[in-house]
Amino acid sequence: MEKVKIALLGLGNVGSGVWKIFNTNKNEVSRRSGCEVEIAKVLVRDKFKQRKVDVPPDMLTTNPDDIFKDESIKIVAELIGGIDPAKEYILRAMRSKKHVVTANKMLLATSGEELFKTAEEEDVYFYYEASVGGGIPIIREINESLTANKIMEIVGILNGTTNYILSKMSKEHMDFKAALDEAKEKGYAEADPTSDIEGYDPVYKLAIIASLSFGAKITVDDIYREGITKITPLDIKYACKFGYTIKLLSIGKVCPDGIELRVHPTMIPKAHPLSNVNDSFNAIYINGNAVGELMLYGKGAGDLPTGSAVVSDIISILRNNGSQYICTSLKNHMPHKKIKPLKENISQYYIRLSVIDMPGVLGEISTILGRNNVSILTVTQDVKSKHDVSLIFITHEAKEGDMQKSIDNIKKLTCINKVESIIRIENFNE
Amino acid sequence: MEKVKIALLGLGNVGSGVWKIFNTNKNEVSRRSGCEVEIAKVLVRDKFKQRKVDVPPDMLTTNPDDIFKDESIKIVAELIGGIDPAKEYILRAMRSKKHVVTANKMLLATSGEELFKTAEEEDVYFYYEASVGGGIPIIREINESLTANKIMEIVGILNGTTNYILSKMSKEHMDFKAALDEAKEKGYAEADPTSDIEGYDPVYKLAIIASLSFGAKITVDDIYREGITKITPLDIKYACKFGYTIKLLSIGKVCPDGIELRVHPTMIPKAHPLSNVNDSFNAIYINGNAVGELMLYGKGAGDLPTGSAVVSDIISILRNNGSQYICTSLKNHMPHKKIKPLKENISQYYIRLSVIDMPGVLGEISTILGRNNVSILTVTQDVKSKHDVSLIFITHEAKEGDMQKSIDNIKKLTCINKVESIIRIENFNE
């Protein structure tokens, strides 16, 4: 059996998972790849740091040259994350004629074009299944399994941290802060959770899968982004009352007037399969014009699930040696397509206002909404005191721009204490 | 752009779907495959039959030689189904150095080894994504996306017809016959529904995916099979009462004492994701030792979903030209592994008996169960008349052999009218 040497860049969470898998599943890896894979070197910043896995000390190195200048190393797995030095390392690896596997969503979403161009020039493989959805094989699904389809819609729960927080808030009636603290405690949220809770992480992921699904250059700037920090237990309570669950969805849709791209908290019907995706699980719902509705569900993060994607990519490279995968390259050669401006999006809305109880309040608000073509489906009133009445509107479908204009005007009314929340509702009816 | 000629064998449901996709998604197919694909010939039995799609008459042929002797045709899609003449045609196509795509689960499950051996000898591709799960890309998932894993468990709802019938029985309280009639009317069940309702169809499918998942030669005879014809509205009512849904599951599990393989109606907890897979949808739940729990959900049948898998396979062949996929071959080179005998399986059971109301009945039955190591979790009694009392037992986990022995003894009791139902319960707790 052919022996192949590989190297890992980084030995954090994902790196440790990859190490464990190669050790635990040695037989599966050989059977599936037809090769005996040896991890020859692991690049780390500190050779003496305490690790979760027992890597022989002579395998660790702090010098990238030990990897890039070693011609016997055929594949490099970049598991450092972030832009710097990950990008430089990937480019160096490619220019040293090494195939590259990465889990780096941020780098792919922001520098994908350059990386794929280099991979093509150097004629090396560049695989990235682990960059979106952890262990869920969404990249291969789009790039290989659904190639017969025009993908019309892709809707994902792509961030495990926020899904954990929202699940806790829904099921245990916690507030955001308490749920975030618990997520940190359990290792689901990082010390600085901004990238997750403000929705940057799912934006990177959506940029990658939307680009592949729709065959278009899509950058992070094309995607509307809104995090979950403003979601309150009260909104969750009302969502439940109206038959909805609140999820942080990443939405990409092909519309006649352009591609819709947005990441924001969304109310979805309790009966929809995405509504039952709880805790740190991820799921991706796809609608293809041949395959119809399809959903993938699994662990979107964690050392072993993400490692599963990295190691499977390495096996694919070993197995496909000699063949060329076209179309798996991100953005490179992809055309720009029209992105639909957010204000053109059509959606139902949940609007919660705090108002002062005085005659004509509902009339004034309804008039403004009506004048802006936003028609009301239901109104619910909840009186806390004469000076603080909650008014909850569910609208019919309306244009985002019209809704925003209404809100701007509603804010100016003297009876309004505050516009507490605006949450989009997705009903998935075609 | 390179032009490639392909041929279809059969223009029934799936054949029509493939035809439609090539016509509707011409641009996607070119973009993804890098080729211009032309359907050159379509083999049919009757050139003059009314069809669902408008295929130019000169493209139709009743003579297989028009395809197998035409060297310009590179890929053949076998969409006839069944063994004869599909098998002969596939072998002829391979021997004529044509790549083959098939949707034929029965043929793969029964003659897979021979077909893969021939493909290997002739050095042609042989793809079969459409054979299991219709549009759900389960084959590629096992063969390529989860290669880093030791797959421990695979549990599927693999038959849309029976899932439609069970969904109707559960949600609309129909009896089996009425639900079957409706399924026939809607085109979900065939005129002779035996293969579906008796569980032959999911057995073929389980043989294929279990073989690939566990890397073992698995034949249909290795799989225990039980259909859904004996499920009554009463069983569904009790299942619901105890927090379960009844599904026809296809189960493959790696156990220390062999591989468990069985297709039978199963009670599963309502909270499990498989429980919410309704109507004609299929789903496959996989547990891999790295990726953890994963589920795929989608349309398991129908012209376009199945066509999506066939066309995506054709695109993969066009794109991978020159590479070799190892391990995708079914059974060929795979070792025999120990199959766990059914009587060794451990499960909870739901047992419904019709008994005569006389003193000591429960004691007699409980004694027999206890003597055979079957311990009772709950007993429910439902009195219709003095001569017909329903006794419903839910047992703790017990060996199938012990349960069967108990039932053989219980049957002999004078107080027993009938053993109405025995349904296994799957709790998915590891």
Side-chain angles (χ1 to χ4, degrees):
Chain A
M1 199 177 278
E2 192 192 348
K3 282 187 189 180
V4 178
K5 283 188 187 175
I6 69 168
L8 310 184
L9 311 182
L11 194 58
N13 195 31
V14 181
S16 305
V18 169
W19 175 267
K20 282 187 219 165
I21 293 170
F22 271 113
N23 280 282
T24 317
N25 292 353
K26 222 177 167 56
N27 290 342
E28 273 65 34
V29 171
S30 304
R31 174 169 79 85
R32 299 290 203 168
S33 68
C35 301
E36 205 178 295
V37 180
E38 181 202 332
I39 300 181
K41 284 284 170 213
V42 181
L43 183 70
V44 292
R45 262 190 304 202
D46 175 0
K47 280 171 79 163
F48 304 103
K49 191 177 154 184
Q50 193 76 21
R51 308 268 168 196
K52 283 195 291 183
V53 286
D54 259 340
V55 180
D58 60 333
M59 209 175 273
L60 297 177
T61 177
T62 54
N63 181 3
D65 284 353
D66 286 351
I67 291 168
F68 300 126
K69 293 197 170 166
D70 182 343
E71 283 186 13
S72 71
I73 292 172
K74 299 294 176 205
I75 302 173
V76 166
E78 183 278 303
L79 311 166
I80 304 169
I83 304 295
D84 187 34
K87 185 176 170 182
E88 182 210 324
Y89 287 169
I90 289 180
L91 292 172
R92 266 196 80 184
M94 288 175 174
R95 292 193 187 118
S96 315
K97 300 289 177 195
K98 298 180 194 317
H99 306 297
V100 175
V101 171
T102 183
N104 198 327
K105 63 215 163 221
M106 190 203 270
L107 188 55
L108 279 167
T110 54
S111 304
E113 195 162 2
E114 185 183 349
L115 299 175
F116 280 96
K117 202 165 160 278
T118 308
E120 201 179 309
E121 285 165 7
E122 301 293 342
D123 198 23
V124 294
Y125 286 106
F126 183 41
Y127 278 16
Y128 49 98
E129 182 60 76
S131 64
V132 183
I136 304 173
I138 179 64
I139 303 287
R140 192 170 277 106
E141 173 119 353
I142 300 170
N143 279 340
E144 300 180 45
S145 298
L146 301 179
T147 46
N149 289 265
K150 188 165 180 183
I151 296 177
M152 306 308 295
E153 189 179 1
I154 183 153
V155 180
I157 294 174
L158 299 179
N159 182 273
T161 309
T162 47
N163 203 48
Y164 180 85
I165 292 171
L166 290 172
S167 297
K168 281 282 157 183
M169 289 177 74
S170 289
K171 304 219 174 250
E172 297 174 26
H173 313 293
M174 286 185 180
D175 68 9
F176 174 75
K177 175 75 176 54
L180 172 60
D181 286 344
E182 196 179 303
K184 281 186 186 175
E185 210 172 281
K186 296 214 168 170
Y188 290 133
E190 292 175 53
D192 176 1
T194 312
S195 175
D196 294 321
I197 62 177
E198 294 294 359
Y200 292 97
D201 171 88
V203 161
Y204 296 136
K205 293 169 177 170
L206 180 61
I208 295 170
I209 59 175
S211 187
L212 296 170
S213 296
F214 307 138
K217 258 189 232 285
I218 288 168
T219 68
V220 293
D221 299 328
D222 293 327
I223 301 172
Y224 171 75
R225 177 189 53 76
E226 194 181 307
I228 64 161
T229 55
K230 287 180 202 149
I231 302 294
T232 66
L234 208 57
D235 296 321
I236 292 197
K237 193 187 95 181
Y238 284 118
C240 183
K241 186 175 157 186
F242 298 130
Y244 295 112
T245 310
I246 300 180
K247 294 287 180 193
L248 181 64
L249 294 192
S250 303
I251 301 171
K253 269 189 215 181
V254 175
C255 302
D257 47 348
I259 301 174
E260 249 182 68
L261 293 162
R262 43 201 173 93
V263 171
H264 54 68
T266 315
M267 291 196 183
I268 56 175
K270 280 184 193 166
H272 193 274
L274 283 176
S275 162
N276 297 310
V277 176
N278 288 313
D279 304 324
S280 64
F281 276 91
N282 280 15
I284 299 139
Y285 165 93
I286 296 177
N287 199 330
N289 74 340
V291 78
E293 295 177 86
L294 200 68
M295 201 177 92
L296 282 84
Y297 166 94
K299 290 188 180 152
D303 57 350
L304 293 176
T306 310
S308 164
V310 171
V311 176
S312 296
D313 269 356
I314 292 172
I315 294 172
S316 289
I317 291 176
L318 293 171
R319 183 198 276 190
N320 289 311
N321 217 350
S323 84
Q324 237 211 324
Y325 268 25
I326 57 163
C327 302
T328 48
S329 70
L330 196 64
K331 294 183 196 161
N332 198 16
H333 307 307
M334 280 179 175
H336 283 287
K337 288 189 183 173
K338 198 190 160 210
I339 307 298
K340 187 170 162 180
L342 183 70
K343 67 178 179 17
E344 297 296 320
N345 278 351
I346 288 170
S347 175
Q348 283 186 268
Y349 299 89
Y350 157 97
I351 302 168
R352 181 162 64 86
L353 308 174
S354 163
V355 303
I356 299 161
D357 191 9
M358 50 196 270
V361 170
L362 192 57
E364 285 187 278
I365 297 169
S366 308
T367 305
I368 291 175
L369 288 168
R371 219 164 39 210
N372 287 291
N373 305 311
V374 180
S375 125
I376 299 166
L377 180 64
T378 66
V379 190
T380 308
Q381 176 171 309
D382 220 336
V383 182
K384 284 181 208 163
S385 74
K386 208 173 153 46
H387 299 285
D388 184 7
V389 175
S390 283
L391 277 185
I392 299 104
F393 295 86
I394 302 280
T395 73
H396 282 287
E397 286 198 334
K399 269 200 189 168
E400 176 93 18
D402 291 339
M403 193 275 300
Q404 290 296 355
K405 237 183 284 171
S406 310
I407 295 296
D408 288 345
N409 286 317
I410 287 169
K411 274 182 185 164
K412 290 175 197 155
L413 295 176
T414 50
C415 61
I416 298 287
N417 293 319
K418 202 181 163 192
V419 177
E420 299 275 5
S421 342
I422 302 166
I423 303 177
R424 293 167 194 85
I425 300 172
E426 195 77 22
N427 278 309
F428 294 91
N429 35 12
E430 292 301 284
Chain B
M1 198 177 276
E2 192 191 349
K3 283 188 188 179
V4 179
K5 283 188 187 176
I6 69 168
L8 310 184
L9 311 182
L11 193 58
N13 194 34
V14 181
S16 305
V18 169
W19 176 267
K20 282 187 221 166
I21 292 170
F22 273 113
N23 281 280
T24 317
N25 293 352
K26 222 176 168 56
N27 290 343
E28 273 65 34
V29 171
S30 304
R31 175 168 78 85
R32 299 291 202 170
S33 68
C35 301
E36 205 178 294
V37 180
E38 181 200 332
I39 300 181
K41 284 284 170 211
V42 181
L43 184 70
V44 293
R45 261 190 306 201
D46 176 359
K47 280 172 78 162
F48 305 102
K49 192 177 154 184
Q50 194 77 20
R51 307 267 168 196
K52 283 194 289 181
V53 286
D54 259 340
V55 179
D58 62 332
M59 209 177 272
L60 297 176
T61 177
T62 54
N63 181 3
D65 285 352
D66 286 350
I67 290 167
F68 301 126
K69 293 197 170 166
D70 182 343
E71 283 186 12
S72 70
I73 292 171
K74 299 295 175 204
I75 302 173
V76 166
E78 183 278 305
L79 311 166
I80 303 168
I83 304 295
D84 187 33
K87 183 176 171 182
E88 183 210 323
Y89 286 170
I90 289 179
L91 292 172
R92 266 197 79 184
M94 289 174 174
R95 292 191 187 119
S96 314
K97 301 287 179 197
K98 299 181 195 315
H99 305 297
V100 176
V101 170
T102 183
N104 197 327
K105 63 218 164 219
M106 189 202 270
L107 188 54
L108 278 167
T110 55
S111 304
E113 194 161 4
E114 186 183 348
L115 299 175
F116 281 96
K117 202 164 158 280
T118 309
E120 200 178 309
E121 284 166 8
E122 301 294 343
D123 198 22
V124 294
Y125 287 107
F126 182 41
Y127 278 17
Y128 50 97
E129 182 61 77
S131 64
V132 183
I136 304 173
I138 179 65
I139 303 290
R140 193 170 276 106
E141 173 121 352
I142 300 170
N143 279 340
E144 299 180 45
S145 298
L146 302 179
T147 46
N149 289 265
K150 188 163 182 185
I151 296 177
M152 304 308 294
E153 188 178 3
I154 183 153
V155 180
I157 295 175
L158 298 180
N159 181 272
T161 307
T162 48
N163 203 48
Y164 180 86
I165 293 171
L166 290 173
S167 297
K168 281 282 157 182
M169 290 177 74
S170 290
K171 304 218 174 249
E172 297 174 25
H173 313 292
M174 286 184 179
D175 67 10
F176 173 75
K177 175 75 175 55
L180 172 60
D181 287 344
E182 196 180 302
K184 280 186 187 175
E185 211 172 280
K186 296 214 167 171
Y188 291 133
E190 293 175 52
D192 176 0
T194 312
S195 175
D196 293 320
I197 63 177
E198 294 294 359
Y200 292 97
D201 170 89
V203 161
Y204 297 137
K205 292 169 177 171
L206 181 61
I208 296 170
I209 58 175
S211 187
L212 296 171
S213 296
F214 308 137
K217 259 189 230 287
I218 288 167
T219 70
V220 294
D221 299 329
D222 293 326
I223 300 173
Y224 172 75
R225 179 189 52 77
E226 194 182 308
I228 64 161
T229 55
K230 287 180 202 149
I231 302 294
T232 67
L234 210 56
D235 296 321
I236 292 199
K237 192 187 95 180
Y238 285 118
C240 183
K241 185 175 160 185
F242 298 130
Y244 295 110
T245 309
I246 300 180
K247 294 288 179 192
L248 181 63
L249 293 192
S250 301
I251 301 171
K253 270 188 216 181
V254 176
C255 302
D257 47 348
I259 300 174
E260 249 181 71
L261 292 162
R262 45 201 173 93
V263 171
H264 54 68
T266 316
M267 291 195 185
I268 57 174
K270 279 183 194 167
H272 192 274
L274 283 175
S275 162
N276 297 309
V277 176
N278 288 314
D279 305 324
S280 64
F281 276 90
N282 281 15
I284 299 138
Y285 165 94
I286 296 177
N287 199 328
N289 74 341
V291 77
E293 293 177 88
L294 200 67
M295 200 176 93
L296 282 84
Y297 166 94
K299 289 189 180 151
D303 57 349
L304 293 177
T306 310
S308 163
V310 172
V311 176
S312 297
D313 270 357
I314 293 172
I315 293 173
S316 290
I317 291 175
L318 293 171
R319 184 197 274 190
N320 289 311
N321 217 351
S323 85
Q324 237 211 323
Y325 269 27
I326 57 166
C327 301
T328 48
S329 69
L330 197 63
K331 294 180 194 163
N332 197 17
H333 307 306
M334 279 179 175
H336 282 287
K337 288 190 184 173
K338 196 188 161 211
I339 307 298
K340 186 168 162 181
L342 184 70
K343 67 179 178 21
E344 297 296 322
N345 278 352
I346 288 171
S347 175
Q348 282 185 267
Y349 299 90
Y350 156 97
I351 302 168
R352 182 162 64 86
L353 308 173
S354 162
V355 303
I356 300 161
D357 190 11
M358 49 195 272
V361 170
L362 193 56
E364 286 187 279
I365 298 169
S366 308
T367 306
I368 292 176
L369 288 168
R371 219 162 41 209
N372 287 292
N373 304 311
V374 180
S375 126
I376 299 166
L377 179 64
T378 66
V379 191
T380 308
Q381 177 170 309
D382 219 337
V383 182
K384 285 183 209 162
S385 74
K386 207 173 153 47
H387 299 286
D388 185 7
V389 175
S390 284
L391 276 184
I392 299 104
F393 295 85
I394 303 280
T395 73
H396 282 286
E397 286 198 333
K399 268 198 188 168
E400 177 92 19
D402 291 339
M403 193 276 301
Q404 291 296 356
K405 237 183 283 170
S406 310
I407 294 295
D408 289 346
N409 287 318
I410 287 169
K411 274 181 184 164
K412 291 175 197 153
L413 295 175
T414 50
C415 61
I416 297 287
N417 294 320
K418 203 181 163 192
V419 176
E420 299 277 4
S421 340
I422 302 166
I423 302 176
R424 293 166 194 86
I425 300 171
E426 195 78 21
N427 279 308
F428 294 92
N429 35 12
E430 292 300 283

